[in-house]
DNA sequence: TCTATCATGTAACCAGTTACATGATTTT
DNA sequence: AAAATCATGTAACTGGTTACATGATAGA
């Protein structure tokens, strides 16, 4: 038995494992299904290089195995993978861990927010309004998907992550609107002088 | 003039640039201030290796420059960096871009949610409850910081990112509670048979 | 037939994390 | 005097993104 290097969980790795639960697949088919089911909104499968690297790591780690190598003359050679015993076990562990344990992934927006004070209140408002507009658009898309406007809806549990994304997007938009209002009304405001003063207090 | 490799924005890179706005600093002092101001909640400065690599890249890219190399005999040698003209310009561009443009960063929780259906409704509820408990704790911490229980509060704009994080955490907790309720009441439920059926419909 | 899109993958590079090192100060 | 923590950094590894390739099919 070969040595299997350890592997840390990632959204894409989890997804590959679960894709193979039902039947063996080749990489492109995994990607196709991920898109078909709309899961490409929650796992980044757009840059396929990452998919291939992830599959490779899973293979090295012994969580998936090569089932066969197909050769259809129209296409390049395709390697079909299947889930191993270890892969089945690990996929469950990862799933529970990722669901139960929140982890700070340091998204870029809050980091940027923490320096918004270097803009003036006016410019800040203008910039946040652009963000709000973009969020309204994604929210519309989500709404359309969830309301079944694009064809009959599958069982609700299969769209639960979309419901989550919608809820979070709506929450961010609400927050943005409230801040924008306060910027407009002047309830939230600052000056560089005031901030320099405060910085002094903190640093001595 | 040397060739400057391009550099993509990241929360940490942005933070380094803004730290140098006021005065030149050495790496450890940047880290110290980031923590002192509580910004370590929104930029990952816990693994310092990343800080050094980021500083190095900013240096290569010509956005920061070496001001001097200090030698205090108590400490290892420390390199002091300062912001360049280009760095000042780029920091503004990045800030506006990161504030105005939402970007999907594919966090792990929604990805995991999309496979929650492979657990039974019972187990799903139990796992989500653990997550909710963890969120309640962070929420308490945030609340304490924002209410000024740890000393006098600086100007509100300097805590805006914390307000954001609180709002998002609260929203996630609310969503979790509603789903947990539906799982408990049976309003949200599924069986493996039903899912297999639906899968068939989609794949043909 | 030209162009777009599907189908498929590789190579090279960029970014982030873990683990390791080491001496000084402060606390117990 | 031992243990903890501060102060500082490097090396090695894991993971993710950009850019490049190439042939097939479908639509205009």
């Amino acid at each position: 038995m070969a040595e299997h290097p350890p592997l840390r969980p990632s959204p894409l790795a989890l997804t590959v494992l679960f894709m193979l639960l039902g039947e063996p697949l080749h990489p492109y088919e995994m990607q196709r299904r991920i898109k078909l089911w709309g899961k490409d909104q929650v796992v980044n499968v757009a840059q396929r290089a990452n998919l291939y690297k992830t599959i490779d790591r899973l293979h090295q780690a012994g969580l998936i195995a090569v089932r066969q190598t197909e050769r259809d003359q129209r296409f390049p050679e395709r390697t079909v993978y299947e889930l191993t015993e270890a892969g089945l076990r690990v996929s469950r562990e990862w799933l529970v861990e990722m669901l139960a344990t929140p982890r700070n992934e340091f998204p870029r927006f809050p980091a940027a927010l923490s320096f918004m004070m270097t803009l003036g209140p006016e410019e800040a408002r203008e910039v946040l309004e652009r963000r709000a507009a973009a969020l309204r658009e994604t929210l519309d898309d989500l709404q359309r998907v969830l309301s079944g406007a694009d064809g009959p809806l599958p069982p609700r549990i299969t769209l639960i992550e979309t419901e989550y994304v919608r809820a979070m997007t709506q929450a961010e938009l609400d927050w943005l609107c409230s801040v924008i209002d306060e910027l407009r009304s002047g309830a939230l405001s600052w000056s560089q002088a005031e901030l320099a003063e405060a910085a002094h207090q903190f640093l001595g």
Side-chain angles (χ1 to χ4, degrees), chain A residues 9-55:
Chain A
S10 77
L12 188 50
L14 181 83
T15 301
V16 168
L17 294 181
F18 274 97
M19 281 300 179
L20 297 179
L21 243 188
E23 62 193 306
L25 298 173
H26 55 86
Y28 196 86
E29 178 64 12
M30 298 184 210
Q31 189 202 5
R32 201 184 65 81
R33 293 190 182 187
I34 290 170
K35 282 181 173 166
L36 181 63
W37 299 342
K39 304 297 186 201
D40 56 336
Q41 213 209 337
V42 291
V43 293
N44 184 359
V45 81
Q47 275 95 241
R48 274 194 335 290
N50 198 9
L51 176 62
Y52 287 101
K53 284 195 70 171
T54 300
I55 287 173

Side-chain angles (χ1 to χ4, degrees), chain A residues 165-181:
Chain A
V165 172
R166 179 183 52 179
M168 290 300 111
T169 307
Q170 181 69 61
E172 182 173 331
L173 181 56
D174 290 348
W175 184 84
L176 280 174
C177 287
S178 83
V179 171
I180 288 168
D181 276 355

Side-chain angles (χ1 to χ4, degrees), chain A residues 10 12-13 21 87 89 109-110 116 124 129 144 156 158 167 177 180 189 192 195 199 203:
Chain A
S10 77
L12 188 50
L21 243 188
R89 185 166 30 77
F109 181 60
M116 194 170 67
E129 265 163 7
R144 205 164 26 69
R156 182 173 158 213
T158 66
C177 287
I180 288 168
S189 159
Q192 299 312 315
L195 293 177
L203 296 173

